[in-house]
Amino acid sequence: MVVFYKMIFRVFLGIVFVPEDKIGLVTKKFVLLGPNKSLPEGRIIATLGEAGFQAKPLPPGIHFWYWLWQYEVKLESLTVIPQGKIGLINAKDGAELESGRILGRKVDCDSFQDAEKFLINGGRKGRQSQYITTGIYRINTNLFEIELTNMAVISENMVGIVTTLDGEPLPAGSIAGKDVGGHNMFQNADAFLEAGGYKGLQPQVMLAGSYYLNPWFIQVEETKMTEIPIGHVGVVISYVGQDGEDLSGTEFKHGNIVGKGYKGVWAEPYGPGKYPINNYIMRVELVPTTNLVLNWASARSESHQLDKNLSTITVRSKDGFPFNLDVSQIIHIPTNEAPKVIARFGNMTNLVSQVLEPTIGNYFRNSAQDSDVIAFLGTRKERQQSAREHIRQVLDQYNVNGVDTLIGDIVPPESLMKTLTDRKIAEEQKVTFETQKQAQETRQLLEKETALAEIQKDIVKADQGVLIAKRVADASVEKATGEATSVKLQSTAEAEKVKVLASAEAEKTKMLASAEAEKISKTGNAEAEKILAIGKSSAESYKLAVSAMGGDNFTQYKIAETIGKDRIKIIPDVLISGGADNTNSSISGLLGLKLMDELARKGGSEAKPELKLKGDKPEKHD
């Protein structure tokens, strides 16, 4: 039913419905009225209402007056560019490309979504320099063909060498274009072309990363970055650029050395590291800056392989014998001299083959012709020193330092060596015989001397006995003399000691007596003065007391004071007396006396009670 109504609307009202995810591509079958009934010759897209494919597609929505009998509307999906892709555009209609161009230049057409604007603004037919990136576009596929391609990716430690397919022709004699800017690493082809960029090999390189590159405009070749190892420098030889000023000086006649960026050998070499070098327009020659050993020996070669073509040197002696010798040469190239070495020889291999190999080989050949083999072997050290000085002077002329020259194995002819060996054996045998003869003579002399030594031992022993006896006697005399002297000295010392002690003792006694007398004298004087002072004081006191109390009273006072002070008992403690009324008075008195005696012993210092007998009856007084 829906289809039926669509057909009704389409036929009678010319209604076209375009969904949201589609566009309508319109084809006009004919033109009833108007001057533009047909397209110009060579055109396939109509911009002025001509019959044919219409430039302007129908966007999503409802559109009127597109009758079925005059218009054909084809629903086309939107153009989708996925992530990591770009869309290349090929225009089927437009102006002809300029002569010598392969890409149509960019025009204002809303990323090819406005086909009418593209054609009106002079868009060219064919492949376009502009591309579309990730997104969704409403593109008229009657005019534009879309081709998807991947983004360009430059890997780590790699460099992209660029060749452009469009631009100005290279000048005669040039191998690469000039370096132009503003094109965002060749992602903007139109900016490159507008800046006058040349087609072909480009001096600029691309580093690691992802880029939107139009493969119809640019081709990128990945290559490894140039690595300069430690112990080396890289001398740059540039094949492009302007001719620069020669920096090598007037004395250097073997090529131009120029500044960085100019054509020729650069005066400043690169140090160890990795560099993004375009090896199509530049060459980097590695030059070792450490001591370099080169071996003229068939059985030995260093890891740098510069001496792989060198072999043992064969020379001929003065007496006509050929023999071989191995030589090692140590050289050093300073960093600032490396560009001159490369400018002169081109590379290190040429330095070895053109200078070192002939110089060292010819020197030893000439040296060997002045001597026979035996003399050459015997003067090896001197010849090595001479070779070192000669080769050093030669290498200085080539900006190379000769560090040392060493002679290795010397291999004389086998026949000569046999003769020399036989001669040497004979000489050694002669020396051996002479040595054995001398050994026998020495042995005889030894036997004789041994016998004399045995006899001499007894003689020496007797002589030593006499000498020992004499020494013993002398020792006894000396000992007796020493003992006598010792006794004499001891006696004298003892007497002196007694004398000194006696004198000291007498002096001591004298001093003690004098001190004691002085002490007694002063003590007596002091006591006398004390007694005199006390007596005078007591007399003065008594005199005053007698004057105050009177003579009799003072006498009684002193008697009472003396009795009290000295505790003189004037009344007995126990009085025993007899009487008619107490028959036991005697016994009681004795018991009381006994009791007082016990109390006295317990009291310690208390005096025994005094008993006073009064008749037959003891009497006690407290």
Side-chain angles (χ1 to χ4, degrees), residues 227-236 268-273 275 284-290 333-339 342 348:
E227 182 177 359
I228 301 175
I230 296 175
H232 294 71
V233 294
V235 178
V236 180
E268 183 179 353
Y270 286 155
Y275 299 89
V284 177
E285 284 293 334
L286 296 180
V287 178
T289 54
T290 57
I333 301 175
T335 299
N336 59 338
E337 299 293 338
I342 297 303
M348 290 296 297

Side-chain angles (χ1 to χ4, degrees), residues 532-554:
L532 179 59
I534 292 171
K536 288 181 178 182
S537 176
S538 297
E540 186 67 25
S541 175
Y542 289 158
K543 183 178 179 180
L544 292 175
V546 169
S547 177
M549 298 173 62
D552 294 338
N553 292 335
F554 180 76

Side-chain angles (χ1 to χ4, degrees), residues 90-166:
N90 185 12
K92 301 176 184 178
D93 199 356
E96 296 293 332
L97 288 172
E98 299 96 327
S99 177
R101 299 293 186 183
I102 64 171
L103 297 178
R105 303 286 286 274
K106 177 182 178 180
V107 295
D108 182 15
C109 59
D110 190 20
S111 297
F112 302 102
Q113 295 182 103
D114 192 339
E116 186 177 8
K117 202 172 185 180
F118 174 82
L119 295 172
I120 292 174
N121 289 338
R124 307 285 177 171
K125 67 174 59 176
R127 295 177 173 179
Q128 303 299 305
S129 61
Q130 186 182 4
Y131 50 83
I132 55 177
T133 57
T134 302
I136 300 176
Y137 302 86
R138 296 170 180 168
I139 294 179
N140 187 340
T141 55
N142 287 331
L143 174 60
F144 300 114
E145 290 180 347
I146 312 299
E147 180 179 334
L148 296 180
T149 186
N150 294 324
M151 294 177 62
V153 178
I154 308 298
S155 305
E156 292 291 334
N157 294 320
M158 303 292 284
V159 62
I161 298 177
V162 177
T163 301
T164 57
L165 306 177
D166 200 356

Side-chain angles (χ1 to χ4, degrees), residues 433-467:
F433 295 153
E434 291 293 333
T435 303
Q436 291 176 349
K437 178 181 178 181
Q438 292 178 4
Q440 292 298 330
E441 293 176 351
T442 304
R443 188 179 64 81
Q444 294 174 4
L445 182 61
L446 177 63
E447 293 291 340
K448 180 179 178 181
E449 294 296 331
T450 302
L452 292 175
E454 291 294 334
I455 299 173
Q456 188 69 22
K457 181 171 66 174
D458 296 336
I459 297 173
V460 171
K461 184 177 180 181
D463 291 341
Q464 292 297 321
V466 173
L467 182 59

Side-chain angles (χ1 to χ4, degrees), residues 567 595-609:
R567 301 180 66 180
L595 179 59
M596 293 300 294
D597 185 53
E598 290 295 329
L599 290 174
R601 281 198 296 266
K602 290 181 180 180
S605 61
E606 295 183 2
K608 291 182 180 181

